[in-house]
Amino acid sequence: MSEHSCPTCGRGFDSRRGLGVHHSQVHGEKLPNRECAECGTAFHCKHEKRYCSDDCRDAAVSYEGKNNPNYSGGKTQTECEICGGTFEYYPSEKKGLYCPPCVESEDWRPKRDISGENNPRWNGGKQEFECDVCGDTVERYPGRVTGEIVACGEDCRREWLSESFTGEGHPNWEGGDTGNYGKGWNRIRKLALERDGYECTHCGKSKEEIGRNPDVHHIVPVRVFAEARGFTKEDAHYKENVVSLCIECHRKADFGVIPKARLLSYVPAGTKYGPHVALPEGAARVESGTRWAQRPERPVQ
């Protein structure tokens, strides 16, 4: 007679292991092998587990007070150094000096005086300087006097800038004015304005918004042609080298804020270098591939 019977189908087995294998494979469920030490429920677990669930474990084991593995004596009473009241704190924290209400409400932390000479960055305070433009006396912190001049205000600073960045003082100075643009300039200027619809090709401002006709800007400057061997300044006047710009955009183009590649993209395709086989040395032209890649599809007028 079999010692172990299947609780589901009643089949007998000689060993508990055989019964367990049968129940797992045939009935799809493992037989219980543990009994919960808290509620007595039978359950299956391959590890040495005393409780069937976390709830039973929490109910059976207390972690409060001395039962907590991190317990170090509980709270200690002490006296607040501000109000004299008694309060409790955990010894594992820093030594209790002030009760919670005093920490929140009292101005117990001494404030450090860092004004004037007590400031670790103190270097003497403001000093008197003479304005390099008008000669008036002005007070400044030495650490803020770092420019080329000391100016008492914006008016003097602008006056100095106007004088210092004129002519040879300008960072874009290239030897002075090229003089009259010469023959062909008036004709090409008119053609450029008509082609661009009397609008700024960069920002789109109209003639009415500008208050006059847009400027016509040479992408490769006239001075490059004027100074190059084998060229004249009149060689700069061709439609692929000029573009209409408002006053603000013209200034940006002169200072290089608007790249030559961008300006070239506003110009319709035509003769690659105007009437020339190539541009003069120093023209810093954009490679033709870049130019045609950025050029919008606009008909030649």
Side-chain angles (χ1 to χ4, degrees):
M1 183 177 179
S2 301
E3 297 182 4
H4 305 281
S5 300
C6 175
T8 304
C9 64
R11 181 179 171 182
F13 294 88
D14 295 334
S15 66
R16 183 171 180 79
R17 175 178 173 78
L19 171 62
V21 172
H22 158 77
H23 203 276
S24 176
Q25 293 181 350
V26 176
H27 304 295
E29 183 181 5
K30 294 181 178 180
L31 291 174
N33 61 351
R34 306 268 186 253
E35 183 176 314
C36 179
E38 174 64 19
C39 66
T41 302
F43 66 97
H44 180 275
C45 182
K46 63 180 180 179
H47 305 296
E48 291 288 338
K49 192 174 180 181
R50 298 188 62 193
Y51 306 102
C52 64
S53 65
D54 291 341
D55 291 338
C56 283
R57 183 195 61 194
D58 293 340
V61 181
S62 174
Y63 291 99
E64 295 181 357
K66 295 181 180 180
N67 293 322
N68 193 307
N70 294 324
Y71 181 76
S72 60
K75 287 185 176 182
T76 300
Q77 283 192 348
T78 189
E79 188 176 289
C80 176
E81 295 185 1
I82 295 178
C83 67
T86 302
F87 69 99
E88 293 182 336
Y89 71 98
Y90 287 104
S92 57
E93 300 175 351
K94 66 180 181 179
K95 182 181 178 181
L97 298 177
Y98 314 117
C99 64
C102 286
V103 170
E104 295 294 331
S105 61
E106 295 292 330
D107 188 15
W108 54 272
R109 187 187 297 273
K111 291 185 177 179
R112 183 184 176 191
D113 181 13
I114 57 172
S115 60
E117 297 180 0
N118 295 321
N119 194 306
R121 296 184 178 180
W122 171 261
N123 61 356
K126 287 185 177 181
Q127 298 179 12
E128 289 188 350
F129 295 89
E130 184 178 301
C131 176
D132 293 327
V133 179
C134 69
D136 287 350
T137 300
V138 59
E139 289 188 345
R140 292 283 189 274
Y141 287 107
R144 301 194 64 179
V145 181
T146 57
E148 296 183 43
I149 66 162
V150 175
C152 61
E154 283 297 311
D155 291 339
C156 284
R157 188 181 69 84
R158 292 192 188 100
E159 182 178 341
W160 174 78
L161 286 172
S162 178
E163 293 177 357
S164 300
F165 286 79
T166 300
E168 295 183 5
H170 198 281
N172 289 339
W173 172 259
E174 294 286 351
D177 190 12
T178 56
N180 189 289
Y181 276 1
K183 184 179 179 181
W185 168 238
N186 289 334
R187 182 185 67 84
I188 205 68
R189 179 177 178 276
K190 181 179 179 181
L191 288 175
L193 290 171
E194 292 176 350
R195 178 196 66 195
D196 299 332
Y198 291 85
E199 293 181 349
C200 175
T201 54
H202 185 68
C203 71
K205 284 184 180 178
S206 64
K207 174 181 177 180
E208 290 73 21
E209 292 174 307
I210 300 171
R212 60 176 176 80
N213 285 335
D215 296 340
V216 177
H217 171 72
H218 286 86
I219 300 174
V220 178
V222 174
R223 66 170 178 273
V224 175
F225 288 87
E227 296 171 0
R229 180 178 298 179
F231 291 86
T232 65
K233 59 185 177 183
E234 287 81 5
D235 291 330
H237 310 328
Y238 60 97
K239 287 198 299 182
E240 292 77 19
N241 192 42
V242 290
V243 63
S244 301
L245 297 172
C246 68
I247 301 169
E248 291 81 5
C249 292
H250 194 181
R251 186 179 300 113
K252 292 178 182 178
D254 283 339
F255 278 82
V257 177
I258 305 176
K260 282 185 170 61
R262 179 68 59 82
L263 296 173
L264 283 168
S265 71
Y266 302 142
V267 179
T271 306
K272 189 173 184 180
Y273 305 123
H276 323 298
V277 176
L279 295 179
E281 183 179 354
R285 67 179 177 83
V286 178
E287 294 297 331
S288 59
T290 304
R291 173 179 177 169
W292 303 136
Q294 296 189 9
R295 176 181 55 79
E297 296 296 331
R298 293 166 60 185
V300 179
Q301 298 181 4

